[in-house]
Amino acid sequence: MLTVSTLAQDRPNVIFVMPDDISHNAFSYYKKNGPRTPNIDALANESVRLTDFHVSPSCSPTRAALLTGRPSDVVGVWHTINGRNMMRADEITMADVFKENGYATGLFFKWHLGDNYPFRPKDRGFEYVAWIKGGGTGQQPDYWDNTNNNANIWVNDSLVKMTDEDDGIKGAFTNNFFFNRAMEFMDDNIEKKKPFFVYLPLGTAHAPHVTPPDARKGASAKTATIENIDKNMGRLMKYLDDRDIADNTILIFTTDNGGGSDQLRGGKGSNYDGGTRVPFFVRWKKGGLGGVGKAREVTPLTAHIDWLPTFMDILDLKDVPNRPEKLKIRGKSFKPFLDKDSSNDPIEYKNRAVIINDMWTEFPEKYKKLSVKKDIWDGNTITNKWRLIRNSADSNWELYDVLVDEKQKVDVINNSANDAIVSELKEEYEKWWQLVDERSDEYTRIVLGNDAEPETDLHAMDFHGTIIWEQDAVKKGDKGSGFIAVEFDKTGTYNFDLRRWPKEIENETTLTSAGSGVALPIASARIKIWNGDTIYVDQTKKTNPNADGVKFTLKNLPKGPAFIQTWFYNASGEMEGAVYYNYVTLKE
C-alpha cells in the first residue's frame, strides 16, 4: 500500500531518467542478445513496471506532454524544429509544481523545448540547469562542434568544458558529466535537508553516435552508448544507497519514444505501438512500489500526460495558485492502479481514451498521424486494448486490438462487431481536436530585449518554412531562409548581428571563410521585420568579407509581436547559405 500519509514529514525525492531514441530492444531485460544493461535490468527487477505506457513518437512532443500533463499538440508542440518545439510560455510545468511545493528542481542534459527566453528551462521552473541547446549534441543551436565525448556545456549560465572526472567510468562523456552534475545537485540538497526533483532527460542515444571512451571491444558506437547509460544508472543507484536515501526516493526510468522492437510495429515517428509504447520502471520502496522481491506489473493503459497528476496525487502536491481553466491538466492520476487493491480503481480512468499525435507540420493537420488508445474492461479484467489509427485525411482508418495482436498485423476496422468502439474512438479524437484547434494558429514567440536575456541568438533551427537543424548543414552551407516569430519587449532601437558562424569561433572565422566547412561568397545581407500588413523594416547591406557578420541598427521597433526574416546573397543577388546565427540586443 502507498504510505502517502507520512509524506508531509518525510517527503520523498523524485528522479526521472529518460534516455533518447531507444526503447525495448536497447535493454537486455527485453532482448537477451542486445546491449548489456545489467543495472537497468536490476532496476526493472525491483520496480513496478508499467507494461502499456505510452509517450509521443518523438523528442519534443514527449517532453512537452510529460512536463505539463497536457497533450503536446494542445500546448503548442507538434514538431521537433521550426519553432514548433517551443512549449507555449503560459504553460505550467511539472517543475513549477514541484517548486511550488518546496522541492529543489534540476534539469540535466536535453531540454528541446526552446533555447531562448521565455522557453528556457530556467524560465520554466528549473532552479539548477545543466544543458545543451537544440535537441542534441551537434544540432545547430548547440555549442559549436560539441559531440558526446568532447563538449562545452552550459551549467547555470556558465560554460563548462567537459573533462574526464573521477567518477569510475573511463574518459569524458556527456552521460557521465550530467549524472555527475545531478549527484552534486542532490548532495547539495541532502545537506540542506530539502527534497529534490531531478529531471534527467538524456540526449543519448540519439544520433550522431560516437564511441564513448569506456566502450567494450566490439561494441558499436550506439551499443556502447547504451551500455554507458547503464553504467551511469548503476552509479546512480549506488549513490542513492550510499547516501541512505534509496528507499524514500522515487526512481523512474523510461525512454522518450519508441525505438523499434521485435514485438511491436513501427519505431520513432510511428503512430503504431512501436512508436509510442516504451519501457517504464518506477521504484519507491517506502511508498510500496517495488523493492527486492516486490517487482510487479501494471497492465492498464498509462501515458506521459498522467505523471504530473499522479505525482500530485501520491505526494499530495498542491497545484500552482490560480491555474487557468484553459491550462487544465488533461492527464489522470493512476495512483489507484499502483497498489494491489483493485476495488479502488476508478471507473472514469478505466473508461478514458488517450490520443497521441506527432504531426511534424507547420500547423496542425486534422487526421495527420493520429492514434487513439483505449482499454476495455470486464470488471477488473482488460478484455481489449484498442488502437485506432489514421495516417492522414486521405488515408483509411485502421483498428487493432493490441491485446491479442501485439504486432498490429490484423486490421479489424471492417468487422461490424467493432462499429461501436470505432465510433467512440473517433468521437474522442474529435473532442481532442477541438482542444488543439483552439490555439492552433498561435505562434510561440521568442522575446527580444528582455532583461532576462540581454542577448538573444536567433537560430536557423527555429526558422518557419525551411529545415536547417544541424551544424553539418552550417558547415556545408545549406541554403534556406524562414521567418522567426518574436515579440519585442520594449519599443526601442535594436542591434542585429547576422552571422554565418557562431560567436564562439569568431577568432577562427570570417563571414566568407570556410571555417570547418565550405566558404560562401556572401556579398550582401538583408533583414525584414513586419507584423501583419505593416513592414517595419526591409534593409539590405553590402558585406565586409573579413568581418564576423553584418550589423544592422534598427530604430523605433515597436513593442509587441513581429516576424523576422534574414537572407545572405552573393554578388549576383542569389541566396547564399543562410543567416544561421542572428545575435539581437536592445540598444540602451
Side-chain angles (χ1 to χ4, degrees):
M1 294 289 291
L2 300 179
T3 56
V4 295
S5 61
T6 66
L7 297 181
Q9 293 77 38
D10 190 13
R11 292 181 296 172
N13 307 300
V14 179
I15 303 174
F16 200 110
V17 183
M18 187 170 67
D20 195 12
D21 272 11
I22 51 178
S23 191
H24 296 84
N25 278 3
F27 310 111
S28 46
Y29 180 80
Y30 295 102
K31 187 173 183 178
K32 298 304 179 187
N33 61 345
R36 302 174 187 176
T37 55
N39 296 298
I40 294 168
D41 298 356
L43 177 62
N45 284 316
E46 295 181 4
S47 293
V48 172
R49 299 182 293 273
L50 307 183
T51 62
D52 196 22
F53 180 79
H54 291 262
V55 293
S56 300
S58 67
C59 311
S60 301
T62 287
R63 287 158 173 72
L66 171 71
L67 290 172
T68 60
R70 292 161 47 76
S72 63
D73 308 74
V74 176
V75 306
V77 179
W78 50 81
H79 207 336
T80 60
I81 55 174
N82 296 142
R84 297 310 192 178
N85 59 297
M86 299 178 195
M87 185 167 57
R88 291 194 186 99
D90 60 353
E91 291 291 339
I92 298 163
T93 72
M94 186 180 287
D96 291 324
V97 174
F98 272 106
K99 185 177 177 182
E100 178 70 23
N101 286 270
Y103 275 72
T105 56
L107 175 282
F108 304 88
F109 207 163
K110 176 171 176 171
W111 175 242
H112 206 182
L113 292 171
D115 301 312
N116 300 109
Y117 177 77
F119 306 111
R120 303 164 300 178
K122 74 174 185 177
D123 306 318
R124 313 311 295 263
F126 287 100
E127 300 163 306
Y128 184 110
V129 177
W131 67 317
I132 58 169
K133 298 182 181 181
T137 53
Q139 294 194 15
Q140 193 263 329
D142 192 19
Y143 193 88
W144 187 254
D145 258 355
N146 269 359
T147 70
N148 281 313
N149 53 19
N150 184 18
N152 290 279
I153 295 164
W154 292 105
V155 179
N156 294 328
D157 295 329
S158 295
L159 198 62
V160 176
K161 175 70 175 176
M162 187 173 72
T163 60
D164 185 6
E165 302 180 63
D166 185 18
D167 51 27
I169 299 180
K170 177 183 176 182
F173 200 66
T174 48
N175 293 330
N176 311 348
F177 179 92
F178 287 106
F179 272 84
N180 289 341
R181 303 292 79 73
M183 291 176 195
E184 290 173 355
F185 170 78
M186 289 186 274
D187 274 340
D188 183 49
N189 286 288
I190 290 169
E191 185 176 339
K192 295 175 181 176
K193 294 183 169 47
K194 187 172 186 178
F196 52 77
F197 167 54
V198 167
Y199 178 47
L200 247 168
L202 306 180
T204 54
H206 194 293
H209 305 297
V210 296
T211 301
D214 63 299
R216 63 179 170 87
K217 186 176 181 180
S220 68
K222 182 174 182 179
T223 292
T225 297
I226 294 167
E227 293 178 353
N228 174 272
I229 294 172
D230 182 77
K231 292 174 187 176
N232 278 289
M233 283 300 296
R235 284 205 304 132
L236 174 61
M237 291 187 286
K238 184 177 184 302
Y239 169 90
L240 298 176
D241 287 335
D242 290 347
R243 299 299 189 276
D244 197 27
I245 60 173
D247 289 353
N248 201 29
T249 294
I250 301 175
L251 177 59
I252 286 171
F253 183 89
T254 187
T255 68
D256 76 336
N257 51 248
S261 167
D262 295 340
Q263 292 302 117
L264 305 176
R265 178 177 176 180
K268 180 177 181 178
S270 167
N271 52 336
Y272 295 92
D273 251 34
T276 68
R277 183 174 152 197
V278 296
F280 197 102
F281 314 139
V282 53
R283 188 189 73 179
W284 178 29
K285 183 177 178 181
K286 192 167 184 178
L289 300 179
V292 176
K294 295 182 179 180
R296 52 194 167 86
E297 295 189 340
V298 173
T299 59
L301 170 66
T302 51
H304 46 14
I305 60 172
D306 298 329
W307 263 107
L308 175 54
T310 300
F311 280 139
M312 294 171 72
D313 198 3
I314 64 177
L315 302 179
D316 195 25
L317 303 179
K318 293 179 174 58
D319 200 357
V320 297
N322 304 313
R323 176 186 288 269
E325 176 63 23
K326 71 175 183 177
L327 302 182
K328 177 181 176 181
I329 294 173
R330 298 288 172 177
K332 294 188 181 299
S333 169
F334 51 80
K335 171 190 169 183
F337 294 91
L338 293 175
D339 61 28
K340 297 178 182 179
D341 181 7
S342 59
S343 68
N344 65 0
D345 297 345
I347 192 68
E348 62 270 19
Y349 190 101
K350 290 181 175 181
N351 285 338
R352 67 87 176 254
V354 174
I355 295 90
I356 294 178
N357 187 255
D358 196 3
M359 290 176 274
W360 291 6
T361 53
E362 170 66 344
F363 291 98
E365 295 179 14
K366 196 171 186 181
Y367 306 127
K368 180 74 181 286
K369 291 181 68 177
L370 74 88
S371 70
V372 187
K373 293 277 295 182
K374 183 179 173 68
D375 286 347
I376 302 297
W377 295 74
D378 181 5
N380 294 319
T381 302
I382 298 172
T383 59
N384 306 90
K385 282 185 171 290
W386 294 115
R387 188 171 192 127
L388 183 70
I389 293 282
R390 196 173 184 184
N391 291 303
S392 71
D394 299 324
S395 65
N396 295 323
W397 294 91
E398 303 170 31
L399 180 70
Y400 302 91
D401 184 356
V402 185
L403 186 66
V404 296
D405 179 22
E406 196 171 30
K407 293 188 178 182
Q408 294 174 275
K409 290 184 174 181
V410 182
D411 180 3
V412 294
I413 193 76
N414 293 321
N415 185 337
S416 60
N418 299 325
D419 287 352
I421 189 63
V422 170
S423 295
E424 180 184 343
L425 298 184
K426 286 181 178 179
E427 184 179 348
E428 292 285 353
Y429 177 80
E430 294 295 333
K431 289 188 290 186
W432 173 88
W433 176 256
Q434 289 178 13
L435 293 174
V436 175
D437 203 35
E438 284 175 8
R439 303 180 71 181
S440 63
D441 60 347
E442 292 184 23
Y443 289 98
T444 46
R445 295 181 178 275
I446 296 169
V447 176
L448 305 179
N450 187 281
D451 292 343
E453 189 174 45
E455 180 180 75
T456 300
D457 182 5
L458 298 178
H459 297 113
M461 191 178 98
D462 296 329
F463 286 165
H464 292 267
T466 193
I467 295 177
I468 298 173
W469 65 276
E470 58 183 339
Q471 291 177 5
D472 280 349
V474 180
K475 294 174 183 178
K476 290 185 292 185
D478 284 1
K479 293 181 182 179
S481 178
F483 65 86
I484 294 179
V486 302
E487 180 177 337
F488 291 104
D489 191 64
K490 306 174 184 70
T491 297
T493 299
Y494 287 79
N495 296 316
F496 297 82
D497 185 358
L498 281 57
R499 299 193 180 205
R500 186 264 172 94
W501 302 106
K503 277 191 173 183
E504 52 259 39
I505 55 171
E506 63 185 7
N507 292 332
E508 308 160 34
T509 57
T510 67
L511 186 65
T512 57
S513 69
S516 56
V518 176
L520 299 178
I522 297 168
S524 64
R526 176 186 171 197
I527 184 169
K528 179 181 178 181
I529 305 175
W530 74 97
N531 189 42
D533 295 329
T534 304
I535 298 175
Y536 301 139
V537 63
D538 190 349
Q539 287 188 17
T540 301
K541 270 189 177 182
K542 290 184 178 180
T543 65
N544 174 353
N546 297 316
D548 295 314
V550 184
K551 296 182 178 180
F552 292 82
T553 299
L554 305 177
K555 299 179 179 179
N556 299 319
L557 291 174
K559 173 183 172 66
F563 298 97
I564 295 176
Q565 190 160 358
T566 52
W567 298 262
F568 282 143
Y569 299 109
N570 59 28
S572 300
E574 300 164 329
M575 187 161 58
E576 201 63 66
V579 180
Y580 306 109
Y581 305 90
N582 183 3
Y583 297 92
V584 187
T585 56
L586 172 66
K587 187 175 182 180
E588 296 297 338

